[in-house]
Amino acid sequence: MIGSGWLIVPGTCAFAVIRPSPVAAHAPIEGLGTFYSYFLHPIIVPETALLVAGTALLLGQQGRTAARMGVGGIAIGLVTGLSVIGFWPTLSVDQRFVLAAAATVGGALCADRTLPQVIPTLLAFATGAVVSLDPDLATFPRRDAWLGAAGLAAGTLLFTIIVSGLSTGSQRPWLLIGRRIAGAWIVAAAILVLALAAKAAA
Amino acid sequence: MHPVLGLDHLVAMVGVGLWGAFIGMPAIWLLPIIFPLVMALGGVLGIAGVPLPQVETWIAASAVAIGICVALAVRPPIWVAALIVGAFAVFHGHAHGTELPAASNPLAYALGFVIATGLLHLSGIAIGYLTRWDWGRLLVRGGGFAIAAVGFAYLSGQV
């Protein structure tokens, strides 16, 4: 599926980091506080949830070693992204890119092929970087910005660890099938919204 | 909720799962993967405004065809089953895709109908596991007749 190219991963990373785009605000949840609002960010923002869930399932599909390396990759990606947003607060990731990345990950899940170990790790890195490029963080006072960054990193890591752990922990047939079906759902949803965005842009 | 509340969609989706379970491996997982992927392509056609003829008729026809396949315990080669299911998926996707631009949150809408469709497939697969028993096979084939009957009712304009 993405056999030709692990070049896709660094390429998309570079695209995500370099491309400036309008700020896509994610309103914090009232009364929840900055830390927990951002802790839930990877789950409650649908585009991000698709990408993180797809990446975590893919890490689990690739086995324990890939899952461990991937969690490390996503952690480094989060730190990288949060550092970048600290220096360039106007940078953000176009949600179409997030959906395209989610569709790629979903396609890899559907294909259910063993990938070279570097690919899931780089995908995890890219996911961490994309998720953490949230320009809203730069608008907060210093303390809230740190709290938000910590919440975002903790939530994304925890979500990834839980989903990839559950996905890795069992080789039951229904789980193997379920992962592929989840991949198909992710691809289908992402393609539809991308098509809609393309129509709106035309 | 659209795939669940639209009876023609509902019976066709459950029928896909039932048929997959009836055919066995690898159809049991291949059909629920192919369907949403091809449905998304149909959805793209709908969003782009590419007209397809008689979409609702084909959706009803999908219930008739898949219901009959279940009822008669048809076990074609996997590529034939995938082709049949994929062809009908285009029309289901087109119907959803046409409605997508009006949705207030397109991603939530897309996720909702994809997941609802998938859960209906899984329901069909779960019911299809009854085919392990003789009485279950009769029950599932009876379900196929019921699905075909619903589809026929839509085709003939009774519903």
Side-chain angles (χ1 to χ4, degrees):
Chain A
M1 178 88 211
I2 48 179
S4 70
W6 59 274
L7 281 175
I8 292 171
V9 179
T12 49
C13 274
F15 179 82
V17 172
I18 291 166
R19 185 181 187 283
S21 62
V23 172
H26 308 301
I29 300 170
E30 288 292 333
L32 203 53
T34 310
F35 179 85
Y36 288 108
S37 284
Y38 275 89
F39 187 87
L40 294 176
H41 183 279
I43 303 170
I44 58 177
V45 178
E47 291 89 346
T48 311
L50 273 185
L51 178 59
V52 176
T55 303
L57 285 170
L58 183 67
L59 293 176
Q61 190 184 54
Q62 297 298 311
R64 285 184 193 282
T65 309
R68 285 194 199 106
M69 302 261 296
V71 170
I74 212 164
I76 295 169
L78 283 164
V79 171
T80 307
L82 289 169
S83 305
V84 167
I85 207 71
F87 287 106
W88 290 283
T90 56
L91 276 183
S92 68
V93 180
D94 192 313
Q95 295 303 301
R96 288 172 295 183
F97 170 78
V98 178
L99 288 170
T104 306
V105 170
L109 263 174
C110 282
D112 195 17
R113 295 280 178 270
T114 304
L115 302 170
Q117 203 152 39
V118 69
I119 292 181
T121 308
L122 285 173
L123 273 174
F125 173 82
T127 299
V130 164
V131 169
S132 55
L133 282 176
D134 188 333
D136 287 356
L137 280 172
T139 65
F140 291 155
R142 190 178 180 82
R143 181 176 173 276
D144 280 347
W146 278 104
L147 279 174
L152 180 64
T156 307
L157 267 180
L158 194 65
F159 186 42
T160 306
I161 289 168
I162 291 172
V163 175
S164 63
L166 289 173
S167 176
T168 312
S170 169
Q171 292 300 310
R172 291 189 179 124
W174 66 265
L175 182 66
L176 306 181
I177 294 169
R179 273 194 308 234
R180 299 181 79 165
I181 292 175
W185 293 359
I186 290 171
V187 174
I191 285 176
L192 284 167
V193 183
L194 282 171
L196 191 60
K199 189 187 180 190
Chain B
M1 293 299 288
H2 181 89
V4 181
L5 297 177
L7 190 60
D8 48 348
H9 284 283
L10 187 148
V11 294
M13 297 305 96
V14 173
V16 169
L18 276 180
W19 198 28
F22 220 96
I23 296 172
M25 289 296 237
I28 198 167
W29 59 264
L30 196 58
L31 298 186
I33 287 176
I34 286 174
F35 195 94
L37 292 178
V38 181
M39 187 176 73
L41 296 180
V44 170
L45 294 178
I47 291 167
V50 177
L52 288 182
Q54 306 290 327
V55 171
E56 290 302 326
T57 304
W58 281 106
I59 289 171
S62 71
V64 174
I66 292 169
I68 287 173
C69 288
V70 173
L72 301 180
V74 177
R75 286 195 179 83
I78 184 63
W79 66 269
V80 175
L83 203 65
I84 292 170
V85 165
F88 287 130
V90 173
F91 292 96
H92 284 266
H94 190 278
H96 291 306
T98 308
E99 296 167 11
L100 182 57
S104 58
N105 185 335
L107 182 56
Y109 176 95
L111 264 177
F113 93 70
V114 168
I115 291 175
T117 298
L119 291 177
L120 289 172
H121 290 158
L122 295 180
S123 307
I125 291 170
I127 297 167
Y129 269 112
L130 294 174
T131 54
R132 292 176 175 189
W133 297 280
D134 287 341
W135 61 267
R137 295 173 69 83
L138 280 176
L139 197 68
V140 169
R141 292 179 71 169
F145 274 117
I147 288 169
V150 170
F152 189 75
Y154 271 90
L155 265 184
S156 59
Q158 298 299 312
V159 179

PDB file of all heavy atoms in Angstrom, chain B residues 126-152:
ATOM      1  N   ALA B 126     -23.047 -11.114  12.824  1.00  0.00           N
ATOM      2  CA  ALA B 126     -23.366 -11.768  14.098  1.00  0.00           C
ATOM      3  C   ALA B 126     -24.562 -12.705  13.925  1.00  0.00           C
ATOM      4  O   ALA B 126     -24.545 -13.851  14.391  1.00  0.00           O
ATOM      5  CB  ALA B 126     -23.656 -10.708  15.161  1.00  0.00           C
ATOM      6  N   ILE B 127     -25.592 -12.215  13.233  1.00  0.00           N
ATOM      7  CA  ILE B 127     -26.767 -13.070  12.995  1.00  0.00           C
ATOM      8  C   ILE B 127     -26.363 -14.240  12.098  1.00  0.00           C
ATOM      9  O   ILE B 127     -26.809 -15.379  12.279  1.00  0.00           O
ATOM     10  CB  ILE B 127     -27.911 -12.253  12.344  1.00  0.00           C
ATOM     11  CG1 ILE B 127     -28.370 -11.150  13.290  1.00  0.00           C
ATOM     12  CG2 ILE B 127     -29.093 -13.155  11.996  1.00  0.00           C
ATOM     13  CD1 ILE B 127     -29.274 -10.107  12.634  1.00  0.00           C
ATOM     14  N   GLY B 128     -25.465 -13.937  11.153  1.00  0.00           N
ATOM     15  CA  GLY B 128     -25.031 -14.970  10.207  1.00  0.00           C
ATOM     16  C   GLY B 128     -24.302 -16.131  10.864  1.00  0.00           C
ATOM     17  O   GLY B 128     -24.256 -17.236  10.314  1.00  0.00           O
ATOM     18  N   TYR B 129     -23.744 -15.891  12.048  1.00  0.00           N
ATOM     19  CA  TYR B 129     -23.070 -16.983  12.756  1.00  0.00           C
ATOM     20  C   TYR B 129     -24.037 -18.098  13.170  1.00  0.00           C
ATOM     21  O   TYR B 129     -23.619 -19.203  13.518  1.00  0.00           O
ATOM     22  CB  TYR B 129     -22.326 -16.448  13.979  1.00  0.00           C
ATOM     23  CG  TYR B 129     -20.903 -16.083  13.665  1.00  0.00           C
ATOM     24  CD1 TYR B 129     -20.480 -14.765  13.692  1.00  0.00           C
ATOM     25  CD2 TYR B 129     -19.976 -17.067  13.325  1.00  0.00           C
ATOM     26  CE1 TYR B 129     -19.175 -14.420  13.381  1.00  0.00           C
ATOM     27  CE2 TYR B 129     -18.664 -16.732  13.016  1.00  0.00           C
ATOM     28  CZ  TYR B 129     -18.267 -15.417  13.044  1.00  0.00           C
ATOM     29  OH  TYR B 129     -16.974 -15.088  12.726  1.00  0.00           O
ATOM     30  N   LEU B 130     -25.342 -17.777  13.123  1.00  0.00           N
ATOM     31  CA  LEU B 130     -26.344 -18.818  13.414  1.00  0.00           C
ATOM     32  C   LEU B 130     -26.284 -19.951  12.398  1.00  0.00           C
ATOM     33  O   LEU B 130     -26.819 -21.028  12.644  1.00  0.00           O
ATOM     34  CB  LEU B 130     -27.754 -18.200  13.423  1.00  0.00           C
ATOM     35  CG  LEU B 130     -28.059 -17.187  14.531  1.00  0.00           C
ATOM     36  CD1 LEU B 130     -29.429 -16.571  14.311  1.00  0.00           C
ATOM     37  CD2 LEU B 130     -27.996 -17.871  15.891  1.00  0.00           C
ATOM     38  N   THR B 131     -25.629 -19.699  11.262  1.00  0.00           N
ATOM     39  CA  THR B 131     -25.576 -20.733  10.212  1.00  0.00           C
ATOM     40  C   THR B 131     -24.766 -21.959  10.650  1.00  0.00           C
ATOM     41  O   THR B 131     -24.708 -22.946   9.926  1.00  0.00           O
ATOM     42  CB  THR B 131     -24.970 -20.171   8.905  1.00  0.00           C
ATOM     43  OG1 THR B 131     -23.697 -19.590   9.205  1.00  0.00           O
ATOM     44  CG2 THR B 131     -25.863 -19.138   8.279  1.00  0.00           C
ATOM     45  N   ARG B 132     -24.137 -21.884  11.827  1.00  0.00           N
ATOM     46  CA  ARG B 132     -23.427 -23.061  12.347  1.00  0.00           C
ATOM     47  C   ARG B 132     -24.398 -24.201  12.665  1.00  0.00           C
ATOM     48  O   ARG B 132     -24.014 -25.358  12.736  1.00  0.00           O
ATOM     49  CB  ARG B 132     -22.684 -22.704  13.623  1.00  0.00           C
ATOM     50  CG  ARG B 132     -21.529 -21.756  13.410  1.00  0.00           C
ATOM     51  CD  ARG B 132     -20.929 -21.382  14.721  1.00  0.00           C
ATOM     52  NE  ARG B 132     -19.754 -20.565  14.527  1.00  0.00           N
ATOM     53  CZ  ARG B 132     -18.920 -20.241  15.508  1.00  0.00           C
ATOM     54  NH1 ARG B 132     -19.137 -20.666  16.725  1.00  0.00           N
ATOM     55  NH2 ARG B 132     -17.870 -19.494  15.264  1.00  0.00           N
ATOM     56  N   TRP B 133     -25.640 -23.814  12.934  1.00  0.00           N
ATOM     57  CA  TRP B 133     -26.650 -24.805  13.266  1.00  0.00           C
ATOM     58  C   TRP B 133     -27.653 -24.915  12.116  1.00  0.00           C
ATOM     59  O   TRP B 133     -27.881 -23.935  11.396  1.00  0.00           O
ATOM     60  CB  TRP B 133     -27.397 -24.396  14.539  1.00  0.00           C
ATOM     61  CG  TRP B 133     -26.490 -24.342  15.722  1.00  0.00           C
ATOM     62  CD1 TRP B 133     -26.055 -25.400  16.480  1.00  0.00           C
ATOM     63  CD2 TRP B 133     -25.885 -23.172  16.291  1.00  0.00           C
ATOM     64  NE1 TRP B 133     -25.218 -24.958  17.476  1.00  0.00           N
ATOM     65  CE2 TRP B 133     -25.090 -23.593  17.391  1.00  0.00           C
ATOM     66  CE3 TRP B 133     -25.913 -21.810  15.989  1.00  0.00           C
ATOM     67  CZ2 TRP B 133     -24.351 -22.725  18.177  1.00  0.00           C
ATOM     68  CZ3 TRP B 133     -25.180 -20.940  16.767  1.00  0.00           C
ATOM     69  CH2 TRP B 133     -24.404 -21.394  17.846  1.00  0.00           C
ATOM     70  N   ASP B 134     -28.258 -26.101  11.998  1.00  0.00           N
ATOM     71  CA  ASP B 134     -29.229 -26.308  10.906  1.00  0.00           C
ATOM     72  C   ASP B 134     -30.405 -25.344  11.022  1.00  0.00           C
ATOM     73  O   ASP B 134     -30.831 -24.742  10.029  1.00  0.00           O
ATOM     74  CB  ASP B 134     -29.729 -27.757  10.922  1.00  0.00           C
ATOM     75  CG  ASP B 134     -28.650 -28.720  10.422  1.00  0.00           C
ATOM     76  OD1 ASP B 134     -27.711 -28.224   9.748  1.00  0.00           O
ATOM     77  OD2 ASP B 134     -28.726 -29.913  10.723  1.00  0.00           O
ATOM     78  N   TRP B 135     -30.927 -25.231  12.248  1.00  0.00           N
ATOM     79  CA  TRP B 135     -32.073 -24.330  12.426  1.00  0.00           C
ATOM     80  C   TRP B 135     -31.665 -22.887  12.136  1.00  0.00           C
ATOM     81  O   TRP B 135     -32.449 -22.083  11.645  1.00  0.00           O
ATOM     82  CB  TRP B 135     -32.670 -24.474  13.832  1.00  0.00           C
ATOM     83  CG  TRP B 135     -31.719 -24.126  14.943  1.00  0.00           C
ATOM     84  CD1 TRP B 135     -30.914 -24.973  15.626  1.00  0.00           C
ATOM     85  CD2 TRP B 135     -31.459 -22.817  15.480  1.00  0.00           C
ATOM     86  NE1 TRP B 135     -30.171 -24.298  16.557  1.00  0.00           N
ATOM     87  CE2 TRP B 135     -30.486 -22.969  16.497  1.00  0.00           C
ATOM     88  CE3 TRP B 135     -31.946 -21.538  15.217  1.00  0.00           C
ATOM     89  CZ2 TRP B 135     -29.980 -21.898  17.229  1.00  0.00           C
ATOM     90  CZ3 TRP B 135     -31.453 -20.463  15.953  1.00  0.00           C
ATOM     91  CH2 TRP B 135     -30.486 -20.657  16.949  1.00  0.00           C
ATOM     92  N   GLY B 136     -30.403 -22.587  12.460  1.00  0.00           N
ATOM     93  CA  GLY B 136     -29.904 -21.241  12.207  1.00  0.00           C
ATOM     94  C   GLY B 136     -29.821 -20.943  10.719  1.00  0.00           C
ATOM     95  O   GLY B 136     -30.136 -19.836  10.274  1.00  0.00           O
ATOM     96  N   ARG B 137     -29.424 -21.957   9.953  1.00  0.00           N
ATOM     97  CA  ARG B 137     -29.341 -21.752   8.495  1.00  0.00           C
ATOM     98  C   ARG B 137     -30.725 -21.440   7.922  1.00  0.00           C
ATOM     99  O   ARG B 137     -30.880 -20.566   7.073  1.00  0.00           O
ATOM    100  CB  ARG B 137     -28.770 -23.010   7.823  1.00  0.00           C
ATOM    101  CG  ARG B 137     -27.334 -23.292   8.212  1.00  0.00           C
ATOM    102  CD  ARG B 137     -26.894 -24.636   7.664  1.00  0.00           C
ATOM    103  NE  ARG B 137     -26.767 -24.619   6.209  1.00  0.00           N
ATOM    104  CZ  ARG B 137     -25.684 -24.163   5.592  1.00  0.00           C
ATOM    105  NH1 ARG B 137     -24.670 -23.701   6.288  1.00  0.00           N
ATOM    106  NH2 ARG B 137     -25.620 -24.186   4.284  1.00  0.00           N
ATOM    107  N   LEU B 138     -31.719 -22.185   8.429  1.00  0.00           N
ATOM    108  CA  LEU B 138     -33.090 -21.923   7.970  1.00  0.00           C
ATOM    109  C   LEU B 138     -33.522 -20.509   8.340  1.00  0.00           C
ATOM    110  O   LEU B 138     -34.132 -19.801   7.535  1.00  0.00           O
ATOM    111  CB  LEU B 138     -34.043 -22.941   8.606  1.00  0.00           C
ATOM    112  CG  LEU B 138     -34.081 -24.308   7.935  1.00  0.00           C
ATOM    113  CD1 LEU B 138     -34.989 -25.254   8.723  1.00  0.00           C
ATOM    114  CD2 LEU B 138     -34.593 -24.188   6.481  1.00  0.00           C
ATOM    115  N   LEU B 139     -33.151 -20.129   9.575  1.00  0.00           N
ATOM    116  CA  LEU B 139     -33.541 -18.800  10.050  1.00  0.00           C
ATOM    117  C   LEU B 139     -32.884 -17.706   9.198  1.00  0.00           C
ATOM    118  O   LEU B 139     -33.536 -16.726   8.794  1.00  0.00           O
ATOM    119  CB  LEU B 139     -33.108 -18.653  11.516  1.00  0.00           C
ATOM    120  CG  LEU B 139     -33.769 -17.531  12.311  1.00  0.00           C
ATOM    121  CD1 LEU B 139     -35.248 -17.811  12.522  1.00  0.00           C
ATOM    122  CD2 LEU B 139     -33.078 -17.373  13.666  1.00  0.00           C
ATOM    123  N   VAL B 140     -31.597 -17.886   8.926  1.00  0.00           N
ATOM    124  CA  VAL B 140     -30.871 -16.877   8.155  1.00  0.00           C
ATOM    125  C   VAL B 140     -31.423 -16.806   6.728  1.00  0.00           C
ATOM    126  O   VAL B 140     -31.610 -15.707   6.180  1.00  0.00           O
ATOM    127  CB  VAL B 140     -29.362 -17.203   8.147  1.00  0.00           C
ATOM    128  CG1 VAL B 140     -28.627 -16.335   7.133  1.00  0.00           C
ATOM    129  CG2 VAL B 140     -28.771 -16.978   9.538  1.00  0.00           C
ATOM    130  N   ARG B 141     -31.713 -17.963   6.152  1.00  0.00           N
ATOM    131  CA  ARG B 141     -32.268 -17.945   4.788  1.00  0.00           C
ATOM    132  C   ARG B 141     -33.644 -17.289   4.790  1.00  0.00           C
ATOM    133  O   ARG B 141     -34.004 -16.564   3.855  1.00  0.00           O
ATOM    134  CB  ARG B 141     -32.325 -19.366   4.232  1.00  0.00           C
ATOM    135  CG  ARG B 141     -30.931 -19.935   3.992  1.00  0.00           C
ATOM    136  CD  ARG B 141     -30.970 -21.351   3.465  1.00  0.00           C
ATOM    137  NE  ARG B 141     -31.446 -21.406   2.091  1.00  0.00           N
ATOM    138  CZ  ARG B 141     -31.372 -22.494   1.328  1.00  0.00           C
ATOM    139  NH1 ARG B 141     -30.836 -23.600   1.810  1.00  0.00           N
ATOM    140  NH2 ARG B 141     -31.827 -22.469   0.093  1.00  0.00           N
ATOM    141  N   GLY B 142     -34.404 -17.533   5.861  1.00  0.00           N
ATOM    142  CA  GLY B 142     -35.703 -16.855   6.009  1.00  0.00           C
ATOM    143  C   GLY B 142     -35.494 -15.344   6.089  1.00  0.00           C
ATOM    144  O   GLY B 142     -36.265 -14.564   5.509  1.00  0.00           O
ATOM    145  N   GLY B 143     -34.435 -14.955   6.795  1.00  0.00           N
ATOM    146  CA  GLY B 143     -34.103 -13.527   6.873  1.00  0.00           C
ATOM    147  C   GLY B 143     -33.792 -12.961   5.503  1.00  0.00           C
ATOM    148  O   GLY B 143     -34.149 -11.822   5.188  1.00  0.00           O
ATOM    149  N   GLY B 144     -33.131 -13.770   4.686  1.00  0.00           N
ATOM    150  CA  GLY B 144     -32.833 -13.343   3.315  1.00  0.00           C
ATOM    151  C   GLY B 144     -34.115 -13.078   2.531  1.00  0.00           C
ATOM    152  O   GLY B 144     -34.224 -12.070   1.815  1.00  0.00           O
ATOM    153  N   PHE B 145     -35.106 -13.981   2.700  1.00  0.00           N
ATOM    154  CA  PHE B 145     -36.395 -13.763   2.030  1.00  0.00           C
ATOM    155  C   PHE B 145     -37.041 -12.460   2.512  1.00  0.00           C
ATOM    156  O   PHE B 145     -37.594 -11.696   1.708  1.00  0.00           O
ATOM    157  CB  PHE B 145     -37.342 -14.941   2.316  1.00  0.00           C
ATOM    158  CG  PHE B 145     -37.158 -16.097   1.358  1.00  0.00           C
ATOM    159  CD1 PHE B 145     -36.736 -17.334   1.813  1.00  0.00           C
ATOM    160  CD2 PHE B 145     -37.409 -15.930   0.002  1.00  0.00           C
ATOM    161  CE1 PHE B 145     -36.550 -18.392   0.931  1.00  0.00           C
ATOM    162  CE2 PHE B 145     -37.233 -16.982  -0.890  1.00  0.00           C
ATOM    163  CZ  PHE B 145     -36.805 -18.222  -0.417  1.00  0.00           C
ATOM    164  N   ALA B 146     -36.949 -12.238   3.822  1.00  0.00           N
ATOM    165  CA  ALA B 146     -37.550 -11.012   4.382  1.00  0.00           C
ATOM    166  C   ALA B 146     -36.864  -9.767   3.808  1.00  0.00           C
ATOM    167  O   ALA B 146     -37.537  -8.783   3.466  1.00  0.00           O
ATOM    168  CB  ALA B 146     -37.432 -11.033   5.904  1.00  0.00           C
ATOM    169  N   ILE B 147     -35.549  -9.826   3.700  1.00  0.00           N
ATOM    170  CA  ILE B 147     -34.798  -8.679   3.147  1.00  0.00           C
ATOM    171  C   ILE B 147     -35.224  -8.433   1.699  1.00  0.00           C
ATOM    172  O   ILE B 147     -35.474  -7.295   1.288  1.00  0.00           O
ATOM    173  CB  ILE B 147     -33.282  -8.947   3.249  1.00  0.00           C
ATOM    174  CG1 ILE B 147     -32.835  -8.853   4.705  1.00  0.00           C
ATOM    175  CG2 ILE B 147     -32.482  -7.963   2.383  1.00  0.00           C
ATOM    176  CD1 ILE B 147     -31.420  -9.351   4.956  1.00  0.00           C
ATOM    177  N   ALA B 148     -35.305  -9.523   0.938  1.00  0.00           N
ATOM    178  CA  ALA B 148     -35.718  -9.384  -0.464  1.00  0.00           C
ATOM    179  C   ALA B 148     -37.139  -8.817  -0.550  1.00  0.00           C
ATOM    180  O   ALA B 148     -37.442  -7.990  -1.430  1.00  0.00           O
ATOM    181  CB  ALA B 148     -35.628 -10.733  -1.162  1.00  0.00           C
ATOM    182  N   ALA B 149     -37.995  -9.244   0.379  1.00  0.00           N
ATOM    183  CA  ALA B 149     -39.387  -8.769   0.358  1.00  0.00           C
ATOM    184  C   ALA B 149     -39.446  -7.269   0.631  1.00  0.00           C
ATOM    185  O   ALA B 149     -40.193  -6.531  -0.032  1.00  0.00           O
ATOM    186  CB  ALA B 149     -40.211  -9.533   1.402  1.00  0.00           C
ATOM    187  N   VAL B 150     -38.652  -6.813   1.593  1.00  0.00           N
ATOM    188  CA  VAL B 150     -38.616  -5.373   1.895  1.00  0.00           C
ATOM    189  C   VAL B 150     -38.126  -4.606   0.667  1.00  0.00           C
ATOM    190  O   VAL B 150     -38.695  -3.577   0.276  1.00  0.00           O
ATOM    191  CB  VAL B 150     -37.728  -5.099   3.121  1.00  0.00           C
ATOM    192  CG1 VAL B 150     -37.498  -3.589   3.277  1.00  0.00           C
ATOM    193  CG2 VAL B 150     -38.352  -5.676   4.385  1.00  0.00           C
ATOM    194  N   GLY B 151     -37.052  -5.122   0.068  1.00  0.00           N
ATOM    195  CA  GLY B 151     -36.520  -4.473  -1.132  1.00  0.00           C
ATOM    196  C   GLY B 151     -37.554  -4.424  -2.243  1.00  0.00           C
ATOM    197  O   GLY B 151     -37.717  -3.389  -2.928  1.00  0.00           O
ATOM    198  N   PHE B 152     -38.300  -5.503  -2.399  1.00  0.00           N
ATOM    199  CA  PHE B 152     -39.324  -5.563  -3.451  1.00  0.00           C
ATOM    200  C   PHE B 152     -40.442  -4.559  -3.166  1.00  0.00           C
ATOM    201  O   PHE B 152     -40.984  -3.938  -4.082  1.00  0.00           O
ATOM    202  CB  PHE B 152     -39.885  -6.977  -3.573  1.00  0.00           C
ATOM    203  CG  PHE B 152     -40.770  -7.149  -4.759  1.00  0.00           C
ATOM    204  CD1 PHE B 152     -40.242  -7.234  -6.049  1.00  0.00           C
ATOM    205  CD2 PHE B 152     -42.155  -7.207  -4.610  1.00  0.00           C
ATOM    206  CE1 PHE B 152     -41.087  -7.372  -7.147  1.00  0.00           C
ATOM    207  CE2 PHE B 152     -42.999  -7.355  -5.702  1.00  0.00           C
ATOM    208  CZ  PHE B 152     -42.446  -7.440  -6.980  1.00  0.00           C
TER     209      PHE B 152
END
